[in-house]
Amino acid sequence: MKLEMCVPCLFGLEGLAADELRRLDMEEVKAENGRVLFSGSELDLARANINLRTGERVMVVVGRTRARTFDELFEGVKAMNWEDYVPMDGAFPVKGHSLNSALHSIPDCQRIVKKAIVEKLKQKYHTEWLKETGAKYQVQFAIMNDEAVLYLDSSGAGLHKRGYRPVGNAAPLRETLAAAMVMLARYRGREEFCDPFCGSGTIPIEAALAALNRAPGLNRGYEAMKWAWMEKTDWLDARQEAIDKEFKGTYSIWGGDIDPDSVAIAKANAKRAGVDGIVRFERAEAADFHRDSSGGLIVCNPPYGERVMERKEAEEIYRRFGKATRTLDNWSLYLLSSHTEFERTFGRNATKKRKLYNGMLKCDLFMYYGQKGSKGGKKG
């Protein structure tokens, strides 16, 4: 059947997620604040889960209803075709959120939504009791401006959980944001790629996955793999399609960090991701960073001075790193920071800035384009 689907994403990444879906040949792709809508088949649901780098999860839109009162919410949810998605033994826990709406009590909304679905399924399955002993069909509702949208979450764990990072260091960068930074740097595996503040290795690992054109979700499972109306062949076909699109090549990807424990974690994460053969990690001081003049990309997430260390220490790191990179004219730099005085302490103004969110923390991606004009570094 044709499904309407929704991909929530971090604010600032909607356009990138929409571009990814278009490259997957999805239909009716539409970017909105914090999410991207599209339509497709059950196979497309599997393909989106396995291939998306910047989306947080893939949700099936069950229906929409006005929700100015609890009665209106109940009747609207009950009118939706839940029997098309949830079998008689399916478990369907409910969670959600409400913004700028008359119905603002989340527990009460959960109770009403659950009751409406129960009544609809009891009616359709001609039973007085739903055991909910089968597969999980996680129901989510989003109420905004008195309109409720009801979803089923097909992903389970968020798509940023690729499976390669069970252990992180302080203030980890979400994988979806790291992948977005790699995309915005337009890295295609052609030039040298460096992260002098690699931490647990997320940015270099995402760069390696991008260079290989390897789908980030190949090594994990999804809630919808257990759904009754999803064919197992859809998941097998989607995985095989992704594997067939992988590249082979020689790449130069490097990550450095002053903390030896972080370097050890990064190496272990790269091994779990299957990219340890093309990513090199080593203990290194960012202030001593140097490379030849041939050019390349520096993409990093230096400390902000908000969670990891004091603000003054972060500013000193920016000053020293700015000095170290000042002569790298052919290199393009992409640095993520929430520090309001980053450019001043770094020592030069960015060519361009892009607003992104690291979780709930508002940041800027400061972009410094190199002179060489490599495809990865120049604005195109």
Side-chain angles (χ1 to χ4, degrees), residues 28 81 123 154 163 167 170 262 280 315 324 333 353 364-365:
E28 301 173 275
N81 296 327
Q123 182 184 89
S154 74
V167 178
S262 291
R280 181 168 59 92
E315 289 177 356
L333 282 69
K353 291 187 289 186
D364 281 300
L365 183 64

Side-chain angles (χ1 to χ4, degrees), residues 182-200:
V182 172
M183 285 184 185
L184 291 169
R186 302 191 179 186
Y187 176 61
R188 300 290 187 273
R190 299 185 184 95
E191 60 273 278
E192 186 176 1
F193 185 101
C194 297
D195 177 2
F197 300 92
C198 72
S200 57

